[in-house]
Amino acid sequence: MSKTTKALRAGVTGVTGIVSAGAVALGIAALVTLPLPEYVGAAPALTVAPVPATQQRVCPGPLLEVMPQVTNDVTFYSTGQAEYAEESSEKNFDSSWLEAVDNQNDALWAAPQVISVPPGASAEQAPLLAGNQLEQAATEALSGLATAACTEPANDVWLVGGSTELGRTTLVTLANPTDVTATVTLEVFTEDGYVDAVSTEGIIVLPGEQRIVSLAGYAPDAIAPVVRVLSVGGQILANLQQSVTRTLLPSGVEWVAPGAGAATQQVITGVVLSGQHDHDRSEISDVTSDLEPGIRLLVPGEKNTEVSVTLLSSEGKKVEFTANLTAQKVTQLPTAGVPDGVYTVIVTAQEPLVAGVRTVQDSSAAAPDLGATPVATPTATPSATPAPELVAPVVAPGAAFGGGDFTWIASSSYLTDQMLIPVPAGPAPLVSFYNPANRTAEVTLSAQGSKDITITVKAGEMASAQLASNAKYTVKGAQGLVGGMTFIGSGFGSAIALNPANVLGSSITVYPR
């Protein structure tokens, strides 16, 4: 290559470099001075609406008595019959019964009842379905009022309640409504810690069966047990049935229902405290007597934690205190210093915990004065109505409630916007809602043949209203609230935590990667 060619090529390259640099400079200037396109990329998404599935709820069934032992095997017998209140948005729902293989009463109604409803032919959402049961016992072994919700079976539930100390009987009922065999494991915690028992593993519950076991066989002489029920295979409805006998006198019976799963906050609403002036002179530390109301708590993890407890009344008043909890040991906190009334109990901690509340109904005490709790009148707000009238129990108090009664109230999950509340034919049903949100909620309850009931629940407050017995309510506006229904009177009581409608059939949004 000649020197002339080299010089020419170098000159062209230099010019090209200058032109390129100028183009880059002009491009930068354009980026600075010209507006950028206003476009933001969005991840692709697909909304999937599952086909609505058949809804199913399982009721615990009638109360059980422990039969006198003639062999080493413990046997059970149901002497009474539960009354059911059931409702669905579809009128073709079906009722059936499981096989109670451990119940010596072979009557059809002596087993747990299963209610189910298929979706409508063109339904886009799962149908609403709800059920509750009530039984008033008056035998030599059982006395009191016991209610329970008919709930969905699950593979993992917590039961906070019961006792196996002298004079107390707690049974674990395990109902399998599915077509798959369930292998059940019980994890039991007490005031002394976790119960390490091999016998709690491998309880087989065949499809369509109910099994019954005595909790005393796993945790004898336990003052404050908490039971976790885990199943592999079929899903289980698990409940505890606790009864108390004092000096040969039956003194209350109750179902302990599954509560919310372990979380850093638990909410229990519809807690009716009565006769507190007597309890205040008793235990003021960890409660060990079941003659006292108490808040039962367990931190199932391995870290101790401080817990904050707030009792919020229907009048907006608060009682607050803190306590230290030891991991894996059950603690019962007192309600000393809390006036009589209707409350929501809010428990908050740094570590996940489970909670339940026991209240006591003394047979010698009058029906509790619920203060400003309203009667459910059409379009009434809670602050403007008088206290409800408490009706007498169906069974004579001397026969059925001579030894008093007690109530276990489970923690609740957040409710859906629409739901059903079928009310059993029990005395003075009272519904309560707590609103954890920062907005006012207006809940409307509608029953056929009756005017609507409207309850206004302000942000951070609770409100209650009396319902009609043996009525079936459709509820709207309960999104994000926590609810409970209480039956209370002179020497007897029971409670049901309201369950949200099934949301497994709701639409979900999928973001593919």
Side-chain angles (χ1 to χ4, degrees):
M1 184 182 295
S2 65
K3 293 182 180 180
T4 304
T5 304
K6 290 182 180 180
L8 180 60
R9 178 171 294 182
V12 172
T13 302
V15 171
T16 304
I18 293 172
V19 172
S20 299
V24 171
L26 290 173
I28 294 174
L31 289 174
V32 174
T33 58
L34 297 178
L36 294 175
E38 295 184 357
Y39 174 79
V40 178
L46 176 65
T47 299
V48 179
V51 176
T54 297
Q55 296 297 293
Q56 185 182 72
R57 304 290 184 270
V58 186
C59 313
L63 295 169
L64 298 156
E65 296 185 20
V66 180
M67 300 292 291
Q69 295 189 36
V70 294
T71 66
N72 291 330
D73 295 330
V74 179
T75 57
F76 311 94
Y77 192 88
S78 57
T79 57
Q81 187 172 355
E83 298 180 13
Y84 299 97
E86 299 157 346
E87 180 69 348
S88 173
S89 57
E90 299 285 338
K91 298 307 178 185
N92 60 334
F93 70 92
D94 180 56
S95 297
S96 61
W97 282 264
L98 302 180
E99 183 179 357
V101 295
D102 297 313
N103 188 347
Q104 299 303 304
N105 186 343
D106 58 1
L108 182 67
W109 48 261
Q113 188 180 66
V114 180
I115 55 176
S116 59
V117 58
S122 59
E124 297 182 356
Q125 295 182 344
L128 298 177
L129 179 66
N132 295 303
Q133 69 170 62
L134 178 147
E135 184 175 352
Q136 298 190 77
T139 71
E140 294 182 357
L142 299 178
S143 174
L145 179 68
T147 60
C150 306
T151 58
E152 296 176 83
N155 294 109
D156 184 358
V157 299
W158 288 92
L159 301 169
V160 183
S163 173
T164 61
E165 61 177 334
L166 183 64
R168 283 77 181 164
T169 300
T170 299
L171 308 178
V172 185
T173 62
L174 306 168
N176 179 8
T178 72
D179 297 327
V180 181
T181 297
T183 303
V184 178
T185 298
L186 305 182
E187 293 185 353
V188 184
F189 301 82
T190 72
E191 63 278 5
D192 296 323
Y194 176 70
V195 177
D196 189 5
V198 177
S199 59
T200 61
E201 301 178 0
I203 303 172
I204 303 299
V205 188
L206 297 179
E209 284 190 352
Q210 179 204 51
R211 298 302 309 271
I212 308 164
V213 297
S214 173
L215 187 60
Y218 305 100
D221 301 320
I223 295 173
V226 170
V227 182
R228 186 183 189 185
V229 182
L230 300 164
S231 68
V232 177
Q235 293 184 316
I236 292 293
L237 171 67
N239 289 89
L240 300 181
Q241 177 197 304
Q242 184 193 353
S243 58
V244 174
T245 301
R246 296 186 174 93
T247 60
L248 302 181
L249 181 65
S251 303
V253 63
E254 181 68 302
W255 286 107
V256 180
T264 55
Q265 185 176 81
Q266 299 288 350
V267 180
I268 305 162
T269 194
V271 177
V272 178
L273 296 176
S274 60
Q276 286 292 94
H277 59 285
D278 295 326
H279 300 312
D280 288 352
R281 296 195 297 268
S282 184
E283 298 186 73
I284 58 174
S285 57
D286 191 9
V287 176
T288 59
S289 170
D290 57 13
L291 287 169
E292 306 290 329
I295 305 169
R296 185 173 294 187
L297 305 172
L298 168 69
V299 179
E302 298 181 353
K303 294 183 179 180
N304 301 339
T305 189
E306 182 182 71
V307 62
S308 298
V309 179
T310 300
L311 287 91
L312 173 67
S313 77
S314 55
E315 299 174 340
K317 298 179 180 179
K318 291 183 180 180
V319 177
E320 299 177 303
F321 60 90
T322 61
N324 293 317
L325 302 184
T326 301
Q328 299 190 351
K329 287 190 175 183
V330 182
T331 300
Q332 294 190 131
L333 301 180
T335 58
V338 180
D340 289 2
V342 185
Y343 290 89
T344 293
V345 178
I346 307 164
V347 183
T348 306
Q350 293 295 319
E351 298 295 323
L353 77 165
V354 293
V357 173
R358 179 187 63 236
T359 61
V360 178
Q361 292 78 46
D362 190 344
S363 60
S364 62
D369 180 8
L370 302 183
T373 307
V375 174
T377 53
T379 66
T381 57
S383 59
T385 51
E389 178 184 357
L390 296 174
V391 301
V394 176
V395 184
F401 308 104
D405 203 3
F406 62 92
T407 298
W408 277 109
I409 312 173
S411 60
S412 304
S413 301
Y414 296 114
L415 299 175
T416 44
D417 180 60
Q418 296 188 42
M419 54 181 291
L420 301 174
I421 304 180
V423 184
L430 185 77
V431 68
S432 299
F433 293 100
Y434 165 69
N435 183 4
N438 57 2
R439 55 170 179 80
T440 297
E442 190 170 272
V443 183
T444 302
L445 297 91
S446 305
Q448 187 175 5
S450 301
K451 294 183 179 180
D452 288 353
I453 300 166
T454 301
I455 306 174
T456 301
V457 193
K458 296 180 180 179
E461 296 186 6
M462 71 166 293
S464 303
Q466 189 174 352
L467 302 180
S469 289
N470 204 25
K472 298 176 180 180
Y473 291 93
T474 299
V475 182
K476 295 182 179 180
Q479 181 71 42
L481 305 185
V482 176
M485 182 167 55
T486 307
F487 300 85
I488 202 74
S490 178
F492 65 96
S494 191
I496 296 172
L498 298 183
N499 295 314
N502 183 284
V503 295
L504 296 180
S506 302
S507 299
I508 58 174
T509 302
V510 179
Y511 296 94
R513 299 182 62 180

